[in-house]
Every structure is written in structure tokens, then in C-alpha cells.
Amino acid sequence: MATETGTDVRSTADLDEQLGAEQSTRERVLLWVDERLKWLMTLPAVFLLFALTFYPLLRAIRMSTQQYLPGGRTTYVGIENYVNLLNNGAFLESLVVTGKFIGLAVGLEFVLGFGIALVLNKKIKMRGLWQTLILVPMILSPTVIGLIWRLMYTPDGLLDFMAAPFIGRNVGWISDPDVALYAVVATDVWQWTPLVVLVIFAGLQSVPDDIQEAAIMDGAPRWRRFVDIVFPYLKSLIVLVLIIRVVDALRVFAKVYILTRGGPSNATNVISMEMYRTAFRFSNFGQASAMAISLLVVVLILAMSFVKIADIEF
Amino acid sequence: MATEQQPDVPFREPSRIERLQETLAENGISKAVIYGVLGFFLLWTLFPVYWLVSGALKSRQTLLSFPPAWIPTEFQVSNFVQLFAQRPEFYQYVFNSIVVTVVTTIIATTIGAAAAYGFVTFDFPYNLDFHLPFYILSTRFMPPIVTIIPLFVIFRNLQLVNTLYGLICVYVMFNIPFAVWMMKGFFEEVPASLVESAMLDGHTHIGAFFKIVLPLVKPGLLASAIFTTIITWNELLFAIILTQDVAAMTLPVGLSSFVTKYSVQWINVSVAGTIALVPVLLFAFIARQELVRGFSMGAVGK
């Protein structure tokens, strides 16, 4: 450090000489900034992220080895919290619910989104307009989305009216344990199918015309052109959009909180809801931290495979 | 199919576009189907939003009537007045949300843009100009619930719980990865020669950054600021955990408090929900193209 400061002083002195020592204070400050620009610009972001993600992570690891007693005292319990997870019915159940949620929601979003993008893959009029309009659900607060759908799910509400001719009135969209998870999935599908449409549509439009054309000239049937040309072209986009959706679906909270609070009888108790309850309703920070760390391991594996498969450059 | 496509003795060579159009027509998806799917998709996407906004204008009876009233016949603007009269704390929610969102956006965009420029422009030892942005990006994948549990304990010790400062800290952290990610793409498009020639003309590097680089990436700054604004304005989980009363609660927390176990005040919910979504819609319209990039982590290029 000492030598570094020495160099800085010397170089400033050199410049002083060159400029005839007529630098204003402002120029001195600017030069001082310039010499350290690389660190001045990058370190705030790095420092903040370390302080607010890396340090909490270390704390979470430590918290996961502690038991929280009433009155704010803690005792070290080793891996007991992790062992308890294996016998924790609500936690295991929440894993299953989360798995179902992700599978259903992301699956539907992908199939619907891909299908719609394929149909729309033509020169359509007012492309910018409809692309902007389907952006709307993505930018709405999940809280507001939860409220909108709760209004539509209300007994004798809009969806009961629409479903009446088919299944009779009062389905109990969010009060029936057999239906509630599908009701939450529907809101997520509503919000995020447009993202899949936009991404896949952009991908389809960017498939170069001349390759397609050459294949058409060669008389390749449609499905072959799709399998051999379009699909390989879209592969990394597909992986990307799937992983983004899976990672985001894994953290779903606000919609569940507004629609069902995890109920009825834990039918929609996704993992972030279970962690929220464990930590902030039952003040069981140790157990919740163990859940958090386990979840993080899963996410890490997912994210690493994402980077690997999609060949992301940063 | 295949034989039909052979160009057998045409009068003139069909143009490239004509050939493609021909094939597409053969593929059998008619215009009617395309626009039908598009129309249905738009209806499905926009109707729920319409339902909320129109609900804000209905009376209590028509809002929950069966069969539903598709179009509000009366326009009860008094609903908006009533919300603030019945729930005076609502002013505070809106105020808190605005303060938190504006401050977070300014800080996160500034810090994020600076870092992005630094990583794009400078060489770092140990390949840090690759590893640090990568680390920053990777926090995008961390589920918020993982960090919020220890952060709550840390903030409780620092007495930052139930303050706007605490919320701002967490939201800045949450948004920096987005800001760096979006700004990096914009800075990469600025030719390095511009900065070099400015420095030869006697500008300092920081001076060249402000005078030459920043004006060029203004659209990027705007886009990442709007992205940050939307994310922050909408956030519920951190806000619900880090706030305890009206002093620091934001709009989403206020909204969620309208929904209790026993009854929901649907008129108030519709009005408040409408208020919450208006600014977001406005901002999104300005930065619509960049938003897709943000949500898809750059998958949709420019």
C-alpha cells in the first residue's frame, strides 16, 4: 500500500511540473479520481453486494447451526436443524408443492408460449403494439396480480360465472384444497406466458431467411426444417427461458401470500411460504436458515447447469 | 408436398420473398388463425387488468354482482376519495413507496452503471473483470428469502427494521445485478476510441465519461432506471418482513393488508390496485423494448 501511495504522489507531482503547477483544485481532484477510477467505479457495487448478500449468507450458514431460544439467546446444535428437515412434514410437503407448482406453471408457460410464438411467427401487423400490450402482466406487482385473481376467484365471482355452464357454481377456486394449487398456477401462467412468447418469437424471427430458403428449395418438409434448422437455432434461448422461469418460480411468494397464504390445508404452501412462516411466524430462525441453505444448494446447481448449457458469456 | 416445391419451368424466377410467402401459405396457417390466436391471447392477457380497473369505478353492489357487470354503468370516482377517507394511512404507503423507489433507483442505477463501465473499460488483475461481474450476476439467482432471514436479524441489531433506510439498502442490493447487467451491454457498444480521443484532447477520463460516454448511453440509463423503479415499486417479500407499521410500510404491504381472513374490501382493493399499477404502466410504455431484455436477461437482443 505504501509504495502505491508513493507512486501516486510522484505522478501527481510530475504532472504539476508539466502543467507549471497551475492546476486548480478541481483539476487536482479530477486527476486524483482518474488515477483510481477503476476502483472508485467498481468497488461500491462489489462492496454493497458482499455486505448484503455474501455476509448474510455466512450468517445464514451460522444461523442454520443454531437453535433460537425465547429471549433471543442461541445455542449451537450442529447439523440438528438439517436432520430435523428430513422429519419435518410441512417442509417436505412444501417441497412437493413447489415441485408441482414449478412443473405445472413452467411447463404450461413453455408449451403455451412456444405454441403461440409459432403461430405468430409471420409478418403480422402492429407487431410493436401487441408486443407492448402482452408486456403488461410482467410489469405488474405480484401483489396486484394476486388481488386481481382473488377478485375473479371470489365465490359467485367472474370465474364462477364463466365456469357455471360446465362445472356448476362455486368451484371454490382458492378454498378447495384440490383446486387451489391450480388456481395459483393459473396466475403465474397468466403473468409469464407472454415472456416465453416474446423470447421465442424473437428467436424464430432471427432464424436467417436464406438457410430456411435453401431448405425449402431442397424440398425439406416442414417438420424437418423445424427439427434440423429452427430448433438448433433456438436451443440456447429455450434453455435460457426455461431456467429463468424455473429459478423465478422457485421463489414465488407474493401471489401465494395474497391468494391463499399457503392454505387451504397446506395445498399451496410453497417453500418460500414455509420458510417465511418458520422464520417470522414461529421465530424458528435456525430451522428456517437450514431450509434456506438447502434451497440455495438446489438453486446453485440449477444456475450452474444454466450457465453451462446455455453457454452464457458475461 | 416436396414435389410441388420443385421450381418446374416457371415463367420467371419467383423472387425470394415470393417463394417464402408461397411456402408459408402452403404450410396452412391462415391469416384468420393467426389473428384469432393473437386476439384471444391479447384478450386473455389484458382482461384481468381491465377487470381490476373497471372494478375501481363500480359500486359495491355491481362489483360483486352475479352475473358480472362487464362494463361499469356508473363511474364512481368517489371510490378514490373514499379510499383515502377510510384509510388515511394510505397516503403514507404511497409516500413511502415513492421515497423508497426514487432513492433506490437513483442509487442502484448510479452504482450499477459505474460498476458496469468499470468492468467494461478497465483491466483487472486476476481476471477480476470477469469474475466480479459474474459474481454480481449470480446473485440474481439467489432466492430473496435466503438472504432476508439473516438480513432481518442483522437489521434488527442495527435498528434498521421498520425504517425506509433499511428497505432502500435491501432494494439497492437487489437491483444492482439488473443495473450492471443492462448497462454493461450499453457501454460495450460505445467505441473505446471516443474516450481515447477525448483524453488526447485534454479531458480527464472521468471528464470524458461524463461528457461523452454518459450522453451516448442515456437510453440505457433510462431503461435500467425504469426497470429498477418497476421492480422496487412492486416488491412485497422484503417489505413485509422489514416493516412493522405505517411508518415504513410500502404500497404492496398496504395492499396486502386489505385482504384479511374474513373479509376483503373489494372496492378499496380495486382502487388501491389501480393506483399501484398506473405509474408502472406509464414507465413500462417508455422503456418497453428494454424491459423484455431485462426480464429475459438479455435473451432478446436489440
Side-chain angles (χ1 to χ4, degrees):
Chain A
M1 281 310 270
T3 48
E4 239 181 78
T5 324
T7 339
D8 291 342
V9 170
R10 214 181 310 126
S11 64
T12 318
D14 288 349
L15 279 161
D16 274 354
E17 246 170 70
Q18 278 171 25
L19 299 166
E22 279 175 13
Q23 283 178 301
S24 65
T25 326
R26 184 168 170 273
E27 278 168 333
R28 273 169 198 281
V29 171
L30 285 178
L31 277 174
W32 186 90
V33 168
D34 252 27
E35 275 160 25
R36 295 158 185 80
L37 196 55
K38 135 165 125 175
W39 302 109
L40 286 176
M41 285 188 121
T42 52
L43 282 186
V46 174
F47 171 77
L48 258 177
L49 274 178
F50 267 82
L52 290 162
T53 60
F54 196 66
Y55 175 64
L57 200 63
L58 295 179
R59 283 291 290 263
I61 294 172
R62 204 183 76 182
M63 284 167 71
S64 72
T65 64
Q66 292 171 331
Q67 195 182 356
Y68 279 69
L69 308 167
R73 289 171 300 121
T74 56
T75 48
Y76 176 77
V77 293
I79 59 162
E80 198 185 297
N81 284 320
Y82 291 93
V83 175
N84 285 345
L85 281 186
L86 300 173
N87 306 317
N88 183 334
F91 174 71
L92 297 177
E93 210 183 328
S94 79
L95 287 181
V96 175
V97 171
T98 309
K100 271 196 212 163
F101 175 82
I102 295 176
L104 280 170
V106 179
L108 275 171
E109 281 154 22
F110 184 73
V111 171
L112 280 174
F114 205 102
I116 293 169
L118 275 180
V119 174
L120 298 184
N121 183 29
K122 300 281 148 66
K123 305 271 176 284
I124 324 169
K125 283 176 192 143
M126 298 195 289
R127 181 173 149 185
L129 179 69
W130 71 259
Q131 282 180 330
T132 306
L133 288 176
I134 65 170
L135 203 64
V136 169
M138 283 185 244
I139 53 161
L140 293 191
S141 160
T143 315
V144 174
I145 291 175
L147 290 171
I148 294 177
W149 283 81
R150 199 160 164 172
L151 173 62
M152 298 198 298
Y153 284 142
T154 168
D156 272 345
L158 183 75
L159 285 171
D160 270 339
F161 174 78
M162 304 219 306
F166 309 104
I167 15 184
R169 279 171 82 167
N170 291 339
V171 176
W173 303 99
I174 49 174
S175 55
D176 181 342
D178 294 331
V179 184
L181 185 63
Y182 302 105
V184 179
V185 166
T187 61
D188 202 73
V189 171
W190 177 77
Q191 187 179 15
W192 293 111
T193 301
L195 178 75
V196 182
V197 174
L198 289 175
V199 173
I200 301 295
F201 180 79
L204 286 171
Q205 297 269 305
S206 72
V207 179
D209 276 354
D210 33 355
I211 309 182
Q212 288 254 59
E213 192 190 351
I216 293 170
M217 293 290 97
D218 289 347
R222 196 174 175 219
W223 63 270
R224 266 230 84 99
R225 292 206 304 275
F226 183 77
V227 172
D228 290 343
I229 301 171
V230 180
F231 191 75
Y233 211 85
L234 291 181
K235 211 176 93 189
S236 60
L237 268 191
I238 292 172
V239 173
L240 188 88
V241 86
L242 279 179
I243 302 285
I244 290 174
R245 284 309 311 133
V246 167
V247 170
D248 280 351
L250 200 60
R251 61 168 73 156
V252 65
F253 176 80
K255 282 177 211 136
V256 175
Y257 185 83
I258 299 292
L259 281 170
T260 60
R261 302 264 153 117
S265 56
N266 287 352
T268 60
N269 194 30
V270 289
I271 186 158
S272 43
M273 196 70 214
E274 176 61 23
M275 277 161 70
Y276 171 79
R277 280 180 174 174
T278 308
F280 299 103
R281 188 150 339 143
F282 306 118
S283 298
N284 197 343
F285 288 107
Q287 183 77 86
S289 298
M291 291 178 186
I293 299 299
S294 315
L295 177 65
L296 191 66
V297 172
V298 175
V299 175
L300 267 180
I301 294 169
L302 280 174
M304 270 154 65
S305 47
F306 156 59
V307 171
K308 199 154 193 176
I309 299 170
D311 218 5
I312 292 301
E313 280 176 34
F314 194 85
Chain B
M1 279 281 281
T3 47
E4 279 168 29
Q5 279 165 10
Q6 297 298 330
D8 46 357
V9 218
F11 290 104
R12 66 179 170 85
E13 193 73 16
S15 79
R16 191 171 132 181
I17 303 292
E18 278 171 335
R19 282 199 306 259
L20 269 177
Q21 277 174 341
E22 217 173 89
T23 330
L24 293 178
E26 263 171 34
N27 286 340
I29 302 181
S30 70
K31 275 239 155 68
V33 175
I34 298 170
Y35 285 104
V37 169
L38 182 60
F40 187 80
F41 185 48
L42 280 176
L43 187 72
W44 149 261
T45 303
L46 295 177
F47 184 79
V49 183
Y50 164 77
W51 195 242
L52 179 84
V53 176
S54 73
L57 297 168
K58 291 174 187 164
S59 68
R60 203 183 137 74
Q61 290 82 358
T62 42
L63 178 66
L64 296 172
S65 66
F66 192 93
W70 299 102
I71 301 163
T73 43
E74 72 276 68
F75 288 92
Q76 303 252 355
V77 187
S78 58
N79 287 340
F80 285 80
V81 183
Q82 233 168 42
L83 168 72
F84 287 97
Q86 286 175 3
R87 296 287 203 120
E89 70 272 24
F90 204 75
Y91 283 112
Q92 190 68 37
Y93 298 147
V94 175
F95 174 79
N96 290 343
S97 262
I98 291 174
V99 171
V100 168
T101 306
V102 169
V103 177
T104 299
T105 301
I106 292 171
I107 299 177
T109 311
T110 310
I111 292 180
Y117 183 77
F119 290 126
V120 168
T121 314
F122 299 106
D123 289 326
F124 285 79
Y126 309 112
N127 218 3
L128 279 181
D129 41 345
F130 168 78
H131 289 296
L132 284 179
F134 187 79
Y135 164 73
I136 290 174
L137 174 65
S138 69
T139 60
R140 158 77 174 80
F141 292 103
M142 200 186 276
I145 188 91
V146 173
T147 40
I148 197 61
I149 296 171
L151 273 176
F152 172 76
V153 175
I154 296 166
F155 277 22
R156 200 173 50 185
N157 295 338
L158 297 173
Q159 301 196 325
L160 280 171
V161 172
N162 205 33
T163 65
L164 298 185
Y165 302 111
L167 274 184
I168 290 166
C169 277
V170 173
Y171 287 148
V172 166
M173 171 273 283
F174 192 59
N175 279 294
I176 280 180
F178 289 106
V180 173
W181 173 255
M182 283 181 95
M183 289 313 298
K184 218 167 164 280
F186 282 93
F187 285 127
E188 271 160 3
E189 280 163 24
V190 178
S193 56
L194 281 181
V195 179
E196 280 161 22
S197 60
M199 284 171 75
L200 285 177
D201 288 346
H203 281 100
T204 54
H205 197 155
I206 189 78
F209 174 74
F210 279 109
K211 286 205 186 81
I212 297 180
V213 180
L214 270 192
L216 283 175
V217 296
K218 231 186 231 164
L221 278 178
L222 183 73
S224 77
I226 287 177
F227 200 77
T228 306
T229 304
I230 292 174
I231 300 272
T232 310
W233 181 262
N234 287 344
E235 209 283 333
L236 176 73
L237 176 66
F238 289 146
I240 221 168
I241 289 169
L242 292 176
T243 62
Q244 286 155 354
D245 58 44
V246 186
M249 277 185 183
T250 55
L251 202 47
V253 188
L255 273 168
S256 75
S257 74
F258 285 179
V259 186
T260 62
K261 224 173 188 170
Y262 306 102
S263 73
V264 183
Q265 305 155 308
W266 279 118
I267 288 290
N268 282 350
V269 165
S270 304
V271 172
T274 304
I275 292 173
L277 68 82
V278 166
V280 168
L281 287 181
L282 272 178
F283 283 130
F285 186 73
I286 302 172
R288 51 195 182 276
Q289 284 306 318
E290 304 307 332
L291 283 179
V292 187
R293 266 182 111 189
F295 282 118
S296 61
M297 301 195 59
V300 179
K302 289 206 302 180

